[in-house]
Amino acid sequence: MSEFQSLLGQALAPKYLGWLVDGLWMTLHVSAVVALLSTLLGIMIAAARSSERRWLTLPAAVFLAVFRNTPLLVQLFFWYFGISSLMPEDSTEWLNTVHSLALGRYLTLSWPSFELLCAIVGLSLYSAAYVSEEIRAGMRGVAAAQQLAGAALGLTRWQVLRYVVLPQALRIALPPLLGQYMNIVKNTSLTMAIGLAELSYTSRQVEAQTFKTFQAFGVATLFYVAVIAVLEMLGQLLQRRRRLAMTGSARR
Amino acid sequence: MQLSVLTDNLPYLLWGAYPDGPLGGAALTVLLSLGSALASAALGLLLGIALSMSRGLLNFMLTAVIGFFRAIPVPMLIFWTYFLLPVVFHVDVPGVLSVMCALALIGGAYLAHSVHAGISGIGAGQWSAGLSLGMTRVAVLQHIVLPQALQMMLPSFVNQWVTLIKDSSLAYIVGVGELSFVAAQVNSRVMIYPAEIFMFIGLIYFLLCSGLGWFAHWVAGYFRPAQDGRLRQATTT
């Protein structure tokens, strides 16, 4: 029992807590960027999948099969180690050096580190495969008559998709999409394997430095649970609002 | 493309140092996935039934525990089991076993919800019919509800198992020598041709995962015609 007590022992020093908070910040950052990119990419894949042209549906199907049936970790390794060996040498050098983009006078966008870049690309492509399936399910939930109505008004297929189908599909797909965003937050933890200093990476670092296993992983776990809980509550709130809106319109 | 790096290291990638050393590579990945698939199915079934049959405080606590396991990332849980299991049980727990434990807990938590959903999807009339025949709740569950629910749940079980195969790659982070780990090892030893190595590894995982999907599809199709025939017979007579 003494080992257990020493595990529960003292709290982490503020310095190490700071590391964990930095890790959480990185996790949130990457998650937000990946959620945005994978949604945009997911919409394109879903649109390609539901098109009638075979040269669009086939590559989309292959993309889904490949990215869903291989582990995210292996995909990250591929981007991190593999892609630079396939690209011309100057381009990897360019990717590895730090650039900054000045927007106006005060805002500068700094070039992300190679790990961060790989993490964002890898996670976005992987998540897009899942996000696109949710969006496609949402698109199927939009009545077919809506498309016919759009076509009858003289809209092109693209316009029907853009102005009629997608806005409704995204609203239908929102609850499962939030679930996918939770998965994205959890999946960012795999980027520790390519050396991105996110929450899991920093918790491992704190553990190695302090030997306070229980506290290091405990704080990190709490952070993860808190983020997921906030997303969950957001989902509940949105669903309740929608239910209220639906009953409201029915009464009218 | 340079394929000699693959042919040179093929045995090591497929089964590690076996028989001179411990089993590793793709063989260990298969073993790890099989073990955690069975354990997660058992755990998921148990928790799902408990979730459907319990009320009040017990139900709330079960929901909270399952929610917790669904909320934390797999690597985090692997850290927990890897570092805490030996301390709690005072024995040396092999890395493979602690990873299996983590995967089974997460897989079980996800499956519990699909089992619960499957059981709730069975009409209340089925329960009433069984109870009116004088069966106990447990007997109704065992003989009437579960057989139907499990058939509906097959796709979510297969999905979860595909996820398990993919997640078994996370054993890498605690140094268990499965496929991803030996691939990273080979990669850091030869230093060149990383794209070939990881694409090949990806291909093995792809075959494992989609193979399981095809097999499940075939099994489902194998059973469906027979069932339809029986149904048709039942309605015509």
Side-chain angles (χ1 to χ4, degrees), chain B residues 107-192:
Chain B
Y110 275 96
L111 280 178
H113 269 287
S114 23
V115 170
H116 176 53
I119 291 176
S120 331
I122 301 297
Q126 302 268 341
W127 282 97
S128 319
L131 290 174
S132 73
L133 286 171
M135 295 167 90
T136 59
R137 268 171 69 82
V138 176
V140 177
L141 183 76
Q142 187 191 339
H143 297 293
I144 300 178
V145 175
L146 266 189
Q148 302 178 66
L150 282 175
Q151 211 163 6
M152 292 190 341
M153 284 180 281
L154 184 71
S156 38
F157 271 81
V158 174
N159 268 342
Q160 195 54 48
W161 287 334
V162 169
T163 308
L164 269 179
I165 295 176
K166 294 197 291 175
D167 284 352
S168 73
S169 67
L170 295 179
Y172 163 88
I173 58 170
V174 287
V176 170
E178 42 66 61
L179 187 53
S180 300
F181 186 78
V182 293
Q185 243 180 355
V186 169
N187 176 49
S188 52
R189 182 152 46 81
V190 298
M191 290 302 267
I192 34 178

Side-chain angles (χ1 to χ4, degrees), chain A:
Chain A
M1 224 44 226
S2 60
E3 291 160 65
F4 213 75
Q5 258 158 11
S6 72
L7 276 178
L8 290 167
Q10 309 130 328
L12 289 172
K15 172 186 157 195
Y16 297 116
L17 214 56
W19 286 13
L20 290 172
V21 172
D22 284 347
L24 173 66
W25 189 234
M26 178 62 96
T27 290
L28 291 176
H29 231 92
V30 173
S31 305
V33 174
V34 170
L36 183 71
L37 288 179
S38 63
T39 306
L40 292 177
L41 196 59
I43 290 174
M44 292 200 286
I45 298 168
R49 277 276 277 169
S50 52
S51 123
E52 274 157 14
R53 303 192 183 92
R54 202 167 158 69
W55 61 268
L56 275 175
T57 53
L58 197 67
V62 171
F63 176 91
L64 288 185
V66 168
F67 281 86
R68 287 168 60 110
N69 284 325
T70 51
L72 174 57
L73 186 68
V74 174
Q75 292 179 25
L76 288 172
F77 280 154
F78 176 77
W79 298 119
Y80 188 65
F81 294 113
I83 206 68
S84 47
S85 76
L86 292 181
M87 288 194 306
E89 237 166 82
D90 333 336
S91 63
T92 47
E93 220 164 89
W94 188 84
L95 279 176
N96 268 310
T97 46
V98 177
H99 311 272
S100 59
L101 178 68
L103 293 177
R105 190 186 293 184
Y106 302 104
L107 191 67
T108 40
L109 285 178
S110 58
W111 185 251
S113 66
F114 189 57
E115 291 90 52
L116 182 56
L117 206 63
C118 286
I120 289 174
V121 169
L123 278 169
S124 299
L125 288 171
Y126 179 83
S127 313
Y130 290 86
V131 166
S132 79
E133 288 294 88
E134 308 292 7
I135 293 176
R136 203 158 71 98
M139 283 163 72
R140 270 203 234 115
V142 178
Q146 299 259 343
Q147 293 190 30
L148 297 178
L153 286 172
L155 299 178
T156 63
R157 281 184 62 88
W158 171 246
Q159 284 172 325
V160 169
L161 189 71
R162 165 79 180 75
Y163 295 106
V164 180
V165 177
L166 264 184
Q168 300 181 66
L170 284 179
R171 207 171 304 152
I172 297 172
L174 196 59
L177 271 181
L178 273 172
Q180 290 303 335
Y181 295 153
M182 290 183 208
N183 283 341
I184 288 174
V185 173
K186 291 188 277 173
N187 283 338
T188 55
S189 61
L190 306 206
T191 58
M192 68 176 286
I194 57 168
L196 184 73
E198 44 66 69
L199 187 49
S200 295
Y201 184 92
T202 48
S203 74
R204 187 82 173 79
Q205 243 183 348
V206 170
E207 195 269 340
Q209 290 254 330
T210 62
F211 294 107
K212 289 174 182 161
T213 313
F214 193 86
Q215 292 90 325
F217 294 151
V219 171
T221 303
L222 276 182
F223 281 168
Y224 278 118
V225 171
V227 174
I228 299 294
V230 166
L231 282 175
E232 184 84 53
M233 278 192 300
L234 194 69
Q236 301 277 338
L237 202 74
L238 282 171
Q239 254 174 324
R240 210 174 50 205
R241 263 186 46 186
R242 182 189 305 171
R243 217 173 299 137
L244 281 177
M246 267 162 66
T247 49
S249 62
R251 227 171 278 142
R252 241 180 286 143

Side-chain angles (χ1 to χ4, degrees), chain B residues 65-101:
Chain B
V65 169
I66 291 171
F68 171 78
F69 283 118
R70 284 160 56 101
I72 62 174
V74 187
M76 220 54 224
L77 194 64
I78 291 180
F79 287 155
W80 277 118
T81 55
Y82 188 77
F83 289 104
L84 276 190
L85 276 185
V87 178
V88 174
F89 291 110
H90 289 281
V91 282
D92 215 14
V93 181
V96 183
L97 212 63
S98 56
V99 171
M100 225 185 252
C101 216

